[in-house]
Amino acid sequence: MKKLPLHWRIMIGMVLGVVFGAVFTQFEGGDEIISDWIKPFGIIFINTLKLIAMPLILGSLIKGVSDLKDISKLSLMGGKTIGIYLLTTILAVSIGLFMVNTIRPGDSIADSTRMDLIASYESDAAEKYEVAQKQKEAGPLQALIDLVPDNIFKATTENGNMLQVIFFALFFGIGLILITPDKAKPVKEFFDAFNEVILKLIDLIMLTAPYGVFALLATLIVESPSFDLFKALGMYAITLLIGLLLMIGLYTMFLRLYVKMEPTKFIKGISPAQLLAFSTSSSAATLPVTMERVEEHLGVDEEVASFVLPIGATINMDGTSLYQAVAAVFIAQAFGMDLSLGTQLGIILTATLASIGAAAVPGAGMVMLVIVLGQAGIPEAGLALIFAIDRPLDMCRTVVNVTGDASVSMIVAKSLGKLKKDTLRKKMG
Ligand code: ASP
């Protein structure tokens, strides 16, 4: 029998996980069984993905940069990448603002619901608030300082320091370009082979993905809040989801017009990464798979993918920025505030910066939302309002974050003539 393509296997794993979780919440002790016996496998799965992220960035970026042969190519690619990332983020925030101002989901929140939600989630929200406060206290150039590690080994030991590792890899790669080719050869060959090994490990990890997402979703179901909350915040969730869908529609349109790739082909190629983004809520954990899919199935040259994607995972979060715009205005509406045009334009700026600053891990977008709220003068207590349904929405915005990175990598590759024509290699599906 022909083996089912990977995205179908992952999808089946997800559905079974949800069903399994739902069944187990029905009887006493079921939650514990999931926590004790199923949850650990989800954690192990995410750990294997994270485990591979740092070596992957280091190896592939060094190799990618050193393949460029001269520095001007690097700055051309860098300029294009950052420019397009910024544009897509601003577009995303604008779509978010448009949606939330049109649908006005905050108007339908009753005062009593608002008070209830704030009362029940105040302490959880306070935790996020504290983390955000620390970020806010830093000086204006702190982000720049944070970019340059003082010790590369230390930087690689923390998964949160992705930008520092990217900085080192770029720096090292530039050094490799500048030395004589015969000296550079063994180092390049080493990283070449190193990369191959890492890609093979990703293949192996992906074989376990259907089981991993099964465990993740079953756990999520038993740990999720009651359905009533979803109903209360339903309009907000729907507004956001429509915005996110629109964004994915736009990516596929850009790809169709500029790269000449059919939407179905793109979605088929990238879907395992999307499903993983959904199950893990982390673009960083999904990065290895995004890279593998884009290179092996969508034809982006390794040189481009290894540069554009790790940077995108950390700074390009279109789903997150769209969410921040929707959430900020929703909270304002729920509190009966009317935001001026000036304030809304301010949100475009702060949501863009806040999404760049958000780490590629679950819940990070919500932490940075505090900054957007603060700038716009919206009560930060409103965070408690949306807390209950943040996780499922985080899953959805992470899908958009990852899809955005993949799309931009294709656009950059096309503009540099680095997109292979016939790509859908018969591999894992
Ligand atoms: N979970 C998102 C990501 O990793 C970030 C966020 O919380 O919006 O891409």
Side-chain angles (χ1 to χ4, degrees):
M1 196 179 83
K2 205 169 153 272
K3 219 172 172 197
L4 216 54
L6 182 64
H7 56 272
W8 284 117
R9 277 183 281 146
I10 296 181
M11 211 104 85
I12 293 172
M14 290 167 75
V15 173
L16 288 181
V18 171
V19 173
F20 200 78
V23 169
F24 271 68
T25 46
Q26 298 307 313
F27 58 84
E28 213 176 311
D31 292 11
E32 278 92 69
I33 295 181
I34 300 269
S35 297
D36 290 347
W37 298 99
I38 304 288
K39 188 177 179 179
F41 292 101
I43 298 177
I44 291 173
F45 175 62
I46 294 202
N47 282 354
T48 54
L49 284 168
K50 288 190 186 159
L51 172 73
I52 219 84
M54 279 297 170
L56 175 72
I57 296 177
L58 206 57
S60 66
L61 206 53
I62 291 176
K63 181 187 177 304
V65 173
S66 64
D67 278 346
L68 283 176
K69 305 214 174 46
D70 67 70
I71 311 268
S72 64
K73 271 198 194 156
L74 180 65
S75 47
L76 180 69
M77 186 154 75
K80 278 190 178 169
T81 305
I82 306 279
I84 302 178
Y85 274 157
L86 263 180
L87 281 181
T88 56
T89 305
I90 293 173
L91 186 68
V93 184
S94 311
I95 291 181
L97 284 179
F98 174 75
M99 292 309 306
V100 73
N101 281 302
T102 314
I103 301 182
R104 300 195 64 83
D107 293 352
S108 59
I109 286 272
D111 275 354
S112 56
T113 317
R114 190 184 76 205
M115 314 269 218
D116 283 353
L117 283 169
I118 292 185
S120 22
Y121 288 93
E122 219 162 14
S123 60
D124 292 328
E127 235 172 75
K128 301 261 165 193
Y129 182 70
E130 243 169 64
V131 181
Q133 215 52 33
K134 278 204 197 101
Q135 301 232 18
K136 248 179 29 190
E137 276 159 19
L141 293 184
Q142 189 60 40
L144 209 60
I145 300 177
D146 289 344
L147 201 63
V148 187
D150 60 356
N151 182 324
I152 184 57
F153 296 104
K154 206 172 96 199
T156 48
T157 55
E158 261 186 59
N159 279 330
N161 285 337
M162 221 136 88
L163 279 178
Q164 296 193 342
V165 177
I166 292 173
F167 176 86
F168 175 78
L170 287 177
F171 200 32
F172 191 93
I174 291 172
L176 258 185
I177 297 177
L178 295 177
I179 62 173
T180 54
D182 59 318
K183 286 264 163 36
K185 197 164 169 261
V187 185
K188 283 175 74 166
E189 278 173 357
F190 168 79
F191 280 109
D192 237 348
F194 185 82
N195 263 337
E196 284 296 312
V197 177
I198 300 285
L199 287 178
K200 188 40 83 193
L201 294 186
I202 297 172
D203 278 353
L204 295 179
I205 294 172
M206 284 310 277
L207 290 177
T208 68
Y211 310 99
V213 296
F214 168 84
L216 287 173
L217 287 202
T219 310
L220 212 71
I221 292 293
V222 299
E223 289 179 353
S224 72
S226 80
F227 190 70
D228 289 347
L229 286 173
F230 285 81
K231 271 198 293 198
L233 297 173
M235 277 317 269
Y236 156 66
I238 288 173
T239 310
L240 179 57
L241 292 179
I242 297 178
L244 293 175
L245 274 177
L246 262 178
M247 204 58 210
I248 292 195
L250 279 181
Y251 296 137
T252 53
M253 193 184 84
F254 290 147
L255 291 178
R256 189 184 193 145
L257 292 177
Y258 184 65
V259 180
K260 309 265 180 301
M261 178 175 272
E262 285 303 314
T264 44
K265 192 171 173 183
F266 171 67
I267 297 292
K268 204 169 162 196
I270 197 65
S271 56
Q274 289 176 320
L275 295 173
L276 223 57
F278 184 80
S279 316
T280 62
S281 253
S282 164
S283 343
T286 312
L287 179 65
V289 180
T290 318
M291 282 179 79
E292 197 257 357
R293 297 308 296 187
V294 160
E295 283 173 26
E296 309 279 336
H297 301 262
L298 294 171
V300 175
D301 196 283
E302 199 190 336
E303 214 170 273
V304 176
S306 65
F307 179 84
V308 178
L309 291 175
I311 294 182
T314 29
I315 70 165
N316 183 53
M317 297 196 181
D318 300 340
T320 300
S321 62
L322 196 153
Y323 145 80
Q324 285 169 338
V326 172
V329 178
F330 166 74
I331 292 171
Q333 289 168 353
F335 278 91
M337 294 170 66
D338 242 336
L339 299 179
S340 67
L341 186 67
T343 312
Q344 302 229 14
L345 289 178
I347 291 181
I348 297 191
L349 184 72
T350 47
T352 302
L353 293 177
S355 70
I356 292 175
V361 295
M366 193 178 203
V367 171
M368 299 305 276
L369 176 63
V370 177
I371 293 173
V372 181
L373 296 178
Q375 285 288 333
I378 301 166
E380 279 141 0
L383 214 56
L385 202 63
I386 54 168
F387 203 95
I389 58 162
D390 199 62
R391 180 60 195 245
L393 298 179
D394 188 5
M395 296 158 78
C396 300
R397 64 185 188 248
T398 309
V399 172
V400 174
N401 290 346
V402 167
T403 312
D405 298 343
S407 310
V408 173
S409 77
M410 294 195 70
I411 292 173
V412 172
K414 169 81 180 180
S415 78
L416 296 171
K418 299 249 172 223
L419 196 66
K420 281 170 246 145
K421 282 267 152 47
D422 193 26
T423 51
L424 277 186
R425 206 176 93 186
K426 284 270 170 297
K427 241 185 111 195
M428 315 174 29

